[in-house]
Amino acid sequence: MSRRSKSIFVLFAVFALVLALAVCVGAEDHGGIKDSGKCGENLTWVLYDDGLLEISGTGAMEDYTRGGAPWDQYKWRINDLRLNEGLTKIGDYSFENCYLPTDLIIPDSVVNIGEWSFNFVSSGGSLILGSGVTSVGNSAFRYAGFSGTLDIPKNLTSIGSGAFAGMAEINEIAVAEGNPAYCSADGILYSADQKKTDTVSGREIRRGYDPPDDRNHFG
């Protein structure tokens, strides 16, 4: 083996050792690892003993059917979710019915949020959508318990049917300036052609909000 090859080998060995130590330290911080695996070609998931579910790596998460996510058997143990930068798509049905008591932060690297991915999630925190999100699938956050203001990012131009429907704890809806597809007024999200959507604040839900139809309602 040449001197250059040996140097490269040593560098890779050192890198692998540092990475392994970092994982071990992280596991110790959370009481150890309960289970782990892959959830995409270049994505891994780790469930720690303290209830933190962490998704790391790059690229798109696999799509699942109801109850088919690899951590679904531990759903009762999950009490926090960390989605790291590098993730580009959140898979269908991935976190349905999970309990997430703190804020859910969707990283800026995420472009697509799959159907039913956070349906019926229980939470006492806020939903923070990253600036890179362009589409949210059907029923993605239907009846999710996130509270506070729902901020629609500038690049979010495709919201599926029922994506944010029934979120009774949301008290305000705000659309980022420059969003070409949506606007909001009085707790209701409107499409660019000034028609109601099914995304409304909790106040409107309690007032008996009428479902959207083809009429122009804005103004």
Side-chain angles (χ1 to χ4, degrees):
M1 182 182 292
S2 68
R3 182 177 298 177
R4 178 180 175 81
S5 297
K6 288 181 179 178
S7 298
I8 293 174
F9 176 78
V10 170
L11 285 174
F12 273 109
V14 170
F15 175 77
L17 178 60
V18 171
L19 183 61
L21 288 172
V23 171
C24 289
V25 170
E28 289 178 0
D29 288 344
H30 298 285
I33 293 175
K34 175 65 178 176
D35 202 351
S36 63
K38 293 192 67 174
C39 54
E41 185 175 356
N42 297 303
L43 289 173
T44 59
W45 64 274
V46 177
L47 176 64
Y48 297 98
D49 285 337
D50 67 355
L52 170 65
L53 175 62
E54 183 172 25
I55 310 295
S56 303
T58 59
M61 185 186 294
E62 295 177 10
D63 287 325
Y64 303 104
T65 55
R66 178 160 288 150
W71 46 81
D72 197 75
Q73 61 180 313
Y74 302 115
K75 194 169 289 183
W76 61 275
R77 297 180 66 103
I78 298 171
N79 58 31
D80 196 5
L81 174 63
R82 181 182 298 162
L83 303 173
N84 289 315
E85 285 289 340
L87 173 66
T88 59
K89 179 183 184 295
I90 297 173
D92 295 352
Y93 290 97
S94 48
F95 306 106
E96 184 183 35
N97 289 317
C98 282
Y99 172 57
L100 305 175
T102 58
D103 293 347
L104 173 62
I105 301 174
I106 307 295
D108 292 339
S109 59
V110 171
V111 177
N112 307 114
I113 299 176
E115 298 182 353
W116 303 91
S117 48
F118 295 94
N119 177 48
F120 272 108
V121 162
S122 300
S123 178
S126 299
L127 171 61
I128 303 170
L129 298 173
S131 61
V133 176
T134 64
S135 69
V136 177
N138 296 338
S139 301
F141 295 94
R142 180 183 289 270
Y143 298 115
F146 299 107
S147 59
T149 298
L150 175 60
D151 289 304
I152 305 297
K154 178 180 178 180
N155 295 317
L156 178 48
T157 55
S158 176
I159 298 177
S161 175
F164 299 106
M167 296 181 69
E169 301 305 314
I170 292 296
N171 56 37
E172 190 60 60
I173 298 171
V175 178
E177 184 177 355
N179 185 306
Y182 299 101
C183 58
S184 62
D186 299 324
I188 299 173
L189 183 70
Y190 293 86
S191 59
D193 56 2
Q194 301 180 354
K195 292 177 181 176
K196 283 182 179 180
T197 70
D198 52 17
T199 299
V200 299
S201 68
R203 180 186 66 250
E204 289 299 313
I205 293 174
R206 290 185 287 274
R207 288 174 57 181
Y209 173 70
D210 292 328
D213 54 32
D214 292 331
R215 293 173 294 169
N216 184 306
H217 292 274
F218 192 77

